[in-house]
Amino acid sequence: MSLLEVTDLHHVFHRGGKPPVYAVNGVSFQVEAGETLALIGESGSGKSTVGRLVLGLLTPTGGEVRFEGRSIAGLGRKESRDLRAKLQVVFQEPYESLNPRMRVGTIIEEPLRIHDPKMPAEQRRRRIVETLAAVGLGEEFLDRYPRQLSGGQQQRVGIARAVVTRPSLVVLDEPTSSLDVSVRARTLQLLGELQRDLGIGYVFISHDIHTVSHFSRRVAVMYLGRVVETGPTAEVLANPRHPYTRALLSAALSVDPNSRRVHVPLRGEIPSPTR
Ligand code: ADP
């Protein structure tokens, strides 16, 4: 049994009178305990929608998400709460994802309060301080507000909030894209250390092939809402089989590796993926 099994997932956004958006069109993959799977593809290829479906924030139009052997659809309230404790997320924009009116200590405490309300106060306090230390921040940060932190520190708080419940899977949705280059490398290193120490599995969403090549041993390439190619990152990068992956790679090689967007100019020339 894999930690996460995503099978033939579909999602259509209906937008009133406008044409529907077929954002996810039959995506399947697995993530094993403690491993990282990167989802890569250009903007609009459906990566974040897959992330939200995995988290149960959206209900799929078709297909299934199984987490630790159980379908996440139709869970009762308590089961959903238990699931959320084990399945967390880090978003791209740390400041936007942190409540500006809450102090760091309260932000990190919130998931524990929601998902583990019976945890004794002293144990909760210890867990918060331990988690803050694990992301490289001292106790002096507990009383600060997000606006008093740098972007890198804000993202560390976002990561602390995600791991404080000791989840088995975290969806990382472009977690370093909004950070300065120097901070990016340190944040990725921190995520790697937390994975080793806590045994967390990651779904790592990124448009940046350079980041993925350093961070993830396995990659799934997404194009027009489908996974067109998947395998060990080193193999996929060295010997891409799908024309879209080749285009993505050649575009990535022709831009500054620190740029925030990989522009893929060949889109019109690439055949649509087959299922
Ligand atoms: P990515 O993460 O790869 O950039 P997304 O999953 O965000 O891609 O988006 C996939 C497609 O779904 C895009 O065409 C996007 O415009 C569309 N989309 C995403 N969210 C919504 C929404 N809430 N309503 C309508 N369309 C959406």
Side-chain angles (χ1 to χ4, degrees), residues 214-230:
H214 285 107
F215 189 71
S216 180
R217 281 205 203 131
R218 222 153 58 78
V219 67
V221 182
M222 282 197 68
Y223 175 58
L224 300 179
R226 293 192 172 135
V227 171
V228 294
E229 178 155 5
T230 184

Side-chain angles (χ1 to χ4, degrees), residues 24-221:
V24 177
N25 301 304
V27 164
S28 302
F29 58 81
Q30 286 93 39
V31 180
E32 305 304 326
E35 79 153 357
T36 301
L37 174 72
L39 293 184
I40 189 155
E42 68 184 303
S43 183
S45 57
K47 307 180 297 296
S48 291
T49 305
V50 169
R52 286 154 71 199
L53 291 164
V54 164
L55 290 161
L57 301 176
L58 286 175
T59 305
T61 338
E64 189 181 42
V65 176
R66 292 182 84 80
F67 178 68
E68 296 184 337
R70 299 179 65 194
S71 172
I72 68 164
L75 293 177
R77 232 172 114 201
K78 173 162 184 333
E79 289 164 317
S80 289
R81 199 178 67 191
D82 293 347
L83 172 90
R84 299 286 315 145
K86 292 179 166 186
L87 187 47
Q88 294 279 352
V89 59
V90 175
F91 292 107
Q92 175 174 0
E93 295 292 344
Y95 190 74
E96 283 172 22
S97 73
L98 304 177
N99 185 333
R101 288 180 298 281
M102 281 187 186
R103 293 176 196 269
V104 166
T106 316
I107 290 172
I108 300 176
E109 183 181 18
E110 206 182 20
L112 290 178
R113 230 175 5 84
I114 297 170
H115 304 303
D116 201 351
K118 295 201 180 112
M119 184 183 269
E122 185 45 40
Q123 193 184 340
R124 192 182 291 178
R125 161 96 193 164
R126 236 182 301 128
R127 175 72 69 83
I128 292 166
V129 172
E130 265 170 32
T131 306
L132 201 60
V135 300
L137 299 176
E139 283 187 52
E140 68 276 16
F141 283 87
L142 285 172
D143 288 331
R144 296 197 191 160
Y145 288 97
R147 66 171 182 279
Q148 298 173 308
L149 309 177
S150 69
Q153 289 167 342
Q154 286 167 359
Q155 194 55 303
R156 280 170 189 258
V157 172
I159 293 167
R161 179 184 55 187
V163 302
V164 73
T165 55
R166 302 296 180 257
S168 40
L169 184 77
V170 177
V171 174
L172 303 167
D173 193 349
E174 304 269 8
T176 59
S177 304
S178 70
L179 303 176
D180 291 341
V181 178
S182 59
V183 182
R184 241 184 257 180
R186 284 208 299 277
T187 308
L188 289 172
Q189 191 186 346
L190 168 67
L191 288 167
E193 285 163 11
L194 289 170
Q195 181 171 56
R196 276 193 300 280
D197 294 349
L198 304 175
I200 308 171
Y202 289 140
V203 174
F204 181 71
I205 294 171
S206 177
H207 66 272
D208 180 3
I209 221 152
H210 296 276
T211 304
V212 165
S213 66
H214 285 107
F215 189 71
S216 180
R217 281 205 203 131
R218 222 153 58 78
V219 67
V221 182

